[in-house]
mmCIF file of all heavy atoms in Angstrom:
data_model
loop_
_atom_site.group_PDB
_atom_site.id
_atom_site.type_symbol
_atom_site.label_atom_id
_atom_site.label_comp_id
_atom_site.label_asym_id
_atom_site.label_seq_id
_atom_site.Cartn_x
_atom_site.Cartn_y
_atom_site.Cartn_z
ATOM 1 N N ALA A 741 -4.044 -0.133 -5.600
ATOM 2 C CA ALA A 741 -3.097 -0.870 -4.773
ATOM 3 C C ALA A 741 -3.785 -1.293 -3.493
ATOM 4 O O ALA A 741 -4.711 -0.624 -3.024
ATOM 5 C CB ALA A 741 -1.868 -0.018 -4.459
ATOM 6 N N ALA A 742 -3.297 -2.392 -2.937
ATOM 7 C CA ALA A 742 -3.846 -2.868 -1.672
ATOM 8 C C ALA A 742 -2.717 -3.475 -0.855
ATOM 9 O O ALA A 742 -1.729 -3.974 -1.417
ATOM 10 C CB ALA A 742 -4.953 -3.899 -1.916
ATOM 11 N N ILE A 743 -2.879 -3.415 0.458
ATOM 12 C CA ILE A 743 -1.833 -3.938 1.337
ATOM 13 C C ILE A 743 -2.501 -4.697 2.478
ATOM 14 O O ILE A 743 -3.470 -4.245 3.095
ATOM 15 C CB ILE A 743 -0.940 -2.787 1.852
ATOM 16 C CG1 ILE A 743 0.213 -3.331 2.707
ATOM 17 C CG2 ILE A 743 -1.743 -1.731 2.616
ATOM 18 C CD1 ILE A 743 1.301 -2.306 2.973
ATOM 19 N N ALA A 744 -1.951 -5.867 2.736
ATOM 20 C CA ALA A 744 -2.478 -6.720 3.800
ATOM 21 C C ALA A 744 -1.886 -6.323 5.151
ATOM 22 O O ALA A 744 -0.923 -5.548 5.206
ATOM 23 C CB ALA A 744 -2.167 -8.174 3.503
ATOM 24 N N SER A 745 -2.449 -6.865 6.208
ATOM 25 C CA SER A 745 -1.988 -6.516 7.545
ATOM 26 C C SER A 745 -0.532 -6.911 7.787
ATOM 27 O O SER A 745 0.158 -6.268 8.575
ATOM 28 C CB SER A 745 -2.879 -7.182 8.601
ATOM 29 O OG SER A 745 -2.898 -8.594 8.411
ATOM 30 N N VAL A 746 -0.080 -7.939 7.066
ATOM 31 C CA VAL A 746 1.312 -8.370 7.240
ATOM 32 C C VAL A 746 2.265 -7.590 6.360
ATOM 33 O O VAL A 746 3.466 -7.794 6.425
ATOM 34 C CB VAL A 746 1.446 -9.884 6.958
ATOM 35 C CG1 VAL A 746 0.653 -10.678 7.989
ATOM 36 C CG2 VAL A 746 1.018 -10.218 5.550
ATOM 37 N N GLY A 747 1.718 -6.708 5.518
ATOM 38 C CA GLY A 747 2.563 -5.835 4.717
ATOM 39 C C GLY A 747 2.700 -6.209 3.255
ATOM 40 O O GLY A 747 3.276 -5.444 2.485
ATOM 41 N N SER A 748 2.166 -7.344 2.860
ATOM 42 C CA SER A 748 2.259 -7.706 1.435
ATOM 43 C C SER A 748 1.323 -6.822 0.630
ATOM 44 O O SER A 748 0.197 -6.530 1.039
ATOM 45 C CB SER A 748 1.911 -9.165 1.256
ATOM 46 O OG SER A 748 0.635 -9.448 1.785
ATOM 47 N N ALA A 749 1.794 -6.394 -0.527
ATOM 48 C CA ALA A 749 1.047 -5.439 -1.341
ATOM 49 C C ALA A 749 0.915 -5.928 -2.779
ATOM 50 O O ALA A 749 1.726 -6.706 -3.259
ATOM 51 C CB ALA A 749 1.730 -4.081 -1.338
ATOM 52 N N ASN A 750 -0.130 -5.458 -3.425
ATOM 53 C CA ASN A 750 -0.277 -5.700 -4.857
ATOM 54 C C ASN A 750 -0.724 -4.426 -5.526
ATOM 55 O O ASN A 750 -1.363 -3.579 -4.894
ATOM 56 C CB ASN A 750 -1.238 -6.861 -5.143
ATOM 57 C CG ASN A 750 -2.642 -6.607 -4.673
ATOM 58 O OD1 ASN A 750 -2.937 -6.652 -3.504
ATOM 59 N ND2 ASN A 750 -3.530 -6.319 -5.614
ATOM 60 N N TYR A 751 -0.388 -4.299 -6.789
ATOM 61 C CA TYR A 751 -0.601 -3.072 -7.539
ATOM 62 C C TYR A 751 -1.245 -3.369 -8.892
ATOM 63 O O TYR A 751 -1.019 -4.413 -9.485
ATOM 64 C CB TYR A 751 0.724 -2.355 -7.797
ATOM 65 C CG TYR A 751 1.444 -1.933 -6.537
ATOM 66 C CD1 TYR A 751 2.343 -2.768 -5.899
ATOM 67 C CD2 TYR A 751 1.226 -0.669 -5.985
ATOM 68 C CE1 TYR A 751 3.003 -2.379 -4.743
ATOM 69 C CE2 TYR A 751 1.875 -0.256 -4.851
ATOM 70 C CZ TYR A 751 2.775 -1.122 -4.226
ATOM 71 O OH TYR A 751 3.430 -0.715 -3.085
ATOM 72 N N ALA A 752 -1.973 -2.377 -9.374
ATOM 73 C CA ALA A 752 -2.425 -2.441 -10.749
ATOM 74 C C ALA A 752 -1.206 -2.342 -11.664
ATOM 75 O O ALA A 752 -0.235 -1.643 -11.344
ATOM 76 C CB ALA A 752 -3.388 -1.302 -11.043
ATOM 77 N N ASN A 753 -1.264 -3.017 -12.793
ATOM 78 C CA ASN A 753 -0.127 -2.979 -13.721
ATOM 79 C C ASN A 753 0.244 -1.555 -14.122
ATOM 80 O O ASN A 753 1.403 -1.231 -14.303
ATOM 81 C CB ASN A 753 -0.446 -3.809 -14.966
ATOM 82 C CG ASN A 753 -0.500 -5.295 -14.679
ATOM 83 O OD1 ASN A 753 0.090 -5.769 -13.728
ATOM 84 N ND2 ASN A 753 -1.193 -6.030 -15.521
ATOM 85 N N SER A 754 -0.777 -0.735 -14.247
ATOM 86 C CA SER A 754 -0.564 0.634 -14.742
ATOM 87 C C SER A 754 0.209 1.521 -13.766
ATOM 88 O O SER A 754 0.747 2.567 -14.174
ATOM 89 C CB SER A 754 -1.897 1.288 -15.068
ATOM 90 O OG SER A 754 -2.729 1.318 -13.921
ATOM 91 N N VAL A 755 0.277 1.131 -12.505
ATOM 92 C CA VAL A 755 0.971 1.966 -11.509
ATOM 93 C C VAL A 755 2.192 1.278 -10.919
ATOM 94 O O VAL A 755 2.945 1.898 -10.156
ATOM 95 C CB VAL A 755 0.013 2.389 -10.377
ATOM 96 C CG1 VAL A 755 -1.241 3.027 -10.942
ATOM 97 C CG2 VAL A 755 -0.328 1.220 -9.466
ATOM 98 N N GLU A 756 2.390 0.015 -11.255
ATOM 99 C CA GLU A 756 3.524 -0.736 -10.732
ATOM 100 C C GLU A 756 4.833 0.006 -11.004
ATOM 101 O O GLU A 756 5.083 0.450 -12.127
ATOM 102 C CB GLU A 756 3.564 -2.120 -11.376
ATOM 103 C CG GLU A 756 4.649 -3.042 -10.840
ATOM 104 C CD GLU A 756 4.208 -3.792 -9.590
ATOM 105 O OE1 GLU A 756 3.126 -4.398 -9.628
ATOM 106 O OE2 GLU A 756 4.956 -3.776 -8.610
ATOM 107 N N GLY A 757 5.634 0.178 -9.968
ATOM 108 C CA GLY A 757 6.909 0.864 -10.117
ATOM 109 C C GLY A 757 6.826 2.372 -9.925
ATOM 110 O O GLY A 757 7.858 3.035 -9.775
ATOM 111 N N ARG A 758 5.628 2.929 -9.958
ATOM 112 C CA ARG A 758 5.464 4.384 -9.765
ATOM 113 C C ARG A 758 4.777 4.713 -8.431
ATOM 114 O O ARG A 758 5.057 5.722 -7.828
ATOM 115 C CB ARG A 758 4.644 4.988 -10.915
ATOM 116 C CG ARG A 758 5.257 4.824 -12.273
ATOM 117 C CD ARG A 758 4.473 5.603 -13.326
ATOM 118 N NE ARG A 758 3.104 5.121 -13.475
ATOM 119 C CZ ARG A 758 2.019 5.883 -13.307
ATOM 120 N NH1 ARG A 758 2.144 7.164 -12.997
ATOM 121 N NH2 ARG A 758 0.808 5.364 -13.467
ATOM 122 N N PHE A 759 3.879 3.859 -8.035
ATOM 123 C CA PHE A 759 3.119 4.077 -6.805
ATOM 124 C C PHE A 759 3.588 3.105 -5.727
ATOM 125 O O PHE A 759 3.950 1.972 -6.028
ATOM 126 C CB PHE A 759 1.627 3.865 -7.033
ATOM 127 C CG PHE A 759 0.947 4.884 -7.895
ATOM 128 C CD1 PHE A 759 1.657 5.825 -8.616
ATOM 129 C CD2 PHE A 759 -0.441 4.884 -8.011
ATOM 130 C CE1 PHE A 759 1.019 6.748 -9.430
ATOM 131 C CE2 PHE A 759 -1.094 5.809 -8.802
ATOM 132 C CZ PHE A 759 -0.370 6.740 -9.515
ATOM 133 N N THR A 760 3.522 3.549 -4.487
ATOM 134 C CA THR A 760 3.856 2.697 -3.354
ATOM 135 C C THR A 760 2.798 2.849 -2.279
ATOM 136 O O THR A 760 2.504 3.977 -1.859
ATOM 137 C CB THR A 760 5.233 3.051 -2.774
ATOM 138 O OG1 THR A 760 6.226 2.943 -3.786
ATOM 139 C CG2 THR A 760 5.591 2.113 -1.626
ATOM 140 N N ILE A 761 2.262 1.734 -1.836
ATOM 141 C CA ILE A 761 1.265 1.760 -0.762
ATOM 142 C C ILE A 761 1.943 1.348 0.540
ATOM 143 O O ILE A 761 2.851 0.492 0.544
ATOM 144 C CB ILE A 761 0.071 0.831 -1.093
ATOM 145 C CG1 ILE A 761 -1.063 1.054 -0.090
ATOM 146 C CG2 ILE A 761 0.493 -0.636 -1.138
ATOM 147 C CD1 ILE A 761 -2.368 0.365 -0.485
ATOM 148 N N ALA A 762 1.528 1.972 1.606
ATOM 149 C CA ALA A 762 2.069 1.654 2.934
ATOM 150 C C ALA A 762 0.953 1.844 3.964
ATOM 151 O O ALA A 762 -0.023 2.542 3.696
ATOM 152 C CB ALA A 762 3.272 2.539 3.256
ATOM 153 N N ARG A 763 1.133 1.244 5.123
ATOM 154 C CA ARG A 763 0.146 1.409 6.166
ATOM 155 C C ARG A 763 0.824 1.531 7.512
ATOM 156 O O ARG A 763 1.922 0.997 7.725
ATOM 157 C CB ARG A 763 -0.843 0.230 6.185
ATOM 158 C CG ARG A 763 -0.220 -1.125 6.456
ATOM 159 C CD ARG A 763 -1.243 -2.263 6.260
ATOM 160 N NE ARG A 763 -2.204 -2.362 7.343
ATOM 161 C CZ ARG A 763 -3.273 -3.164 7.319
ATOM 162 N NH1 ARG A 763 -3.518 -3.910 6.250
ATOM 163 N NH2 ARG A 763 -4.093 -3.224 8.351
ATOM 164 N N ASP A 764 0.153 2.247 8.412
ATOM 165 C CA ASP A 764 0.592 2.393 9.780
ATOM 166 C C ASP A 764 -0.513 1.816 10.643
ATOM 167 O O ASP A 764 -1.553 2.457 10.839
ATOM 168 C CB ASP A 764 0.838 3.866 10.102
ATOM 169 C CG ASP A 764 1.400 4.072 11.502
ATOM 170 O OD1 ASP A 764 1.135 3.255 12.409
ATOM 171 O OD2 ASP A 764 2.096 5.089 11.691
ATOM 172 N N ASN A 765 -0.324 0.622 11.117
ATOM 173 C CA ASN A 765 -1.380 -0.064 11.848
ATOM 174 C C ASN A 765 -1.696 0.631 13.171
ATOM 175 O O ASN A 765 -2.848 0.614 13.622
ATOM 176 C CB ASN A 765 -0.995 -1.518 12.096
ATOM 177 C CG ASN A 765 -0.969 -2.328 10.813
ATOM 178 O OD1 ASN A 765 -1.712 -2.056 9.884
ATOM 179 N ND2 ASN A 765 -0.086 -3.305 10.743
ATOM 180 N N ALA A 766 -0.708 1.251 13.782
ATOM 181 C CA ALA A 766 -0.952 1.942 15.050
ATOM 182 C C ALA A 766 -1.869 3.157 14.843
ATOM 183 O O ALA A 766 -2.603 3.531 15.757
ATOM 184 C CB ALA A 766 0.374 2.380 15.656
ATOM 185 N N LYS A 767 -1.807 3.739 13.655
ATOM 186 C CA LYS A 767 -2.620 4.917 13.359
ATOM 187 C C LYS A 767 -3.829 4.600 12.487
ATOM 188 O O LYS A 767 -4.583 5.506 12.121
ATOM 189 C CB LYS A 767 -1.761 5.985 12.661
ATOM 190 C CG LYS A 767 -0.626 6.527 13.507
ATOM 191 C CD LYS A 767 0.167 7.579 12.746
ATOM 192 C CE LYS A 767 1.283 8.148 13.589
ATOM 193 N NZ LYS A 767 2.068 9.167 12.842
ATOM 194 N N ASN A 768 -3.998 3.327 12.145
ATOM 195 C CA ASN A 768 -5.101 2.912 11.262
ATOM 196 C C ASN A 768 -5.130 3.765 9.989
ATOM 197 O O ASN A 768 -6.193 4.229 9.552
ATOM 198 C CB ASN A 768 -6.437 3.013 12.001
ATOM 199 C CG ASN A 768 -6.520 2.089 13.179
ATOM 200 O OD1 ASN A 768 -6.106 0.924 13.110
ATOM 201 N ND2 ASN A 768 -7.013 2.590 14.296
ATOM 202 N N THR A 769 -3.979 3.952 9.421
ATOM 203 C CA THR A 769 -3.819 4.854 8.277
ATOM 204 C C THR A 769 -3.129 4.131 7.129
ATOM 205 O O THR A 769 -2.181 3.375 7.358
ATOM 206 C CB THR A 769 -3.035 6.099 8.679
ATOM 207 O OG1 THR A 769 -3.745 6.793 9.714
ATOM 208 C CG2 THR A 769 -2.843 7.030 7.499
ATOM 209 N N VAL A 770 -3.612 4.415 5.934
ATOM 210 C CA VAL A 770 -2.976 3.894 4.730
ATOM 211 C C VAL A 770 -2.531 5.058 3.867
ATOM 212 O O VAL A 770 -3.186 6.110 3.823
ATOM 213 C CB VAL A 770 -3.935 2.962 3.951
ATOM 214 C CG1 VAL A 770 -5.209 3.687 3.506
ATOM 215 C CG2 VAL A 770 -3.228 2.303 2.780
ATOM 216 N N TYR A 771 -1.397 4.875 3.234
ATOM 217 C CA TYR A 771 -0.798 5.918 2.393
ATOM 218 C C TYR A 771 -0.631 5.410 0.968
ATOM 219 O O TYR A 771 -0.486 4.208 0.743
ATOM 220 C CB TYR A 771 0.568 6.332 2.934
ATOM 221 C CG TYR A 771 0.568 6.730 4.379
ATOM 222 C CD1 TYR A 771 0.860 5.815 5.383
ATOM 223 C CD2 TYR A 771 0.258 8.030 4.762
ATOM 224 C CE1 TYR A 771 0.856 6.167 6.719
ATOM 225 C CE2 TYR A 771 0.250 8.411 6.089
ATOM 226 C CZ TYR A 771 0.552 7.469 7.078
ATOM 227 O OH TYR A 771 0.537 7.843 8.399
#
């Protein structure tokens, strides 16, 4: 999975619907 600075995300087909990516720009952290 990947997430852009504006928040748009894309996922591998195999994890779509099960995994969620998120980011906290203030903390420079991705989850």
Side-chain angles (χ1 to χ4, degrees):
I743 184 167
S745 57
V746 296
S748 56
N750 63 286
Y751 298 89
N753 290 337
S754 59
V755 307
E756 184 86 50
R758 299 188 297 122
F759 291 10
T760 302
I761 190 170
R763 62 188 285 172
D764 184 331
N765 292 329
K767 297 181 179 179
N768 297 317
T769 299
V770 60
Y771 306 94

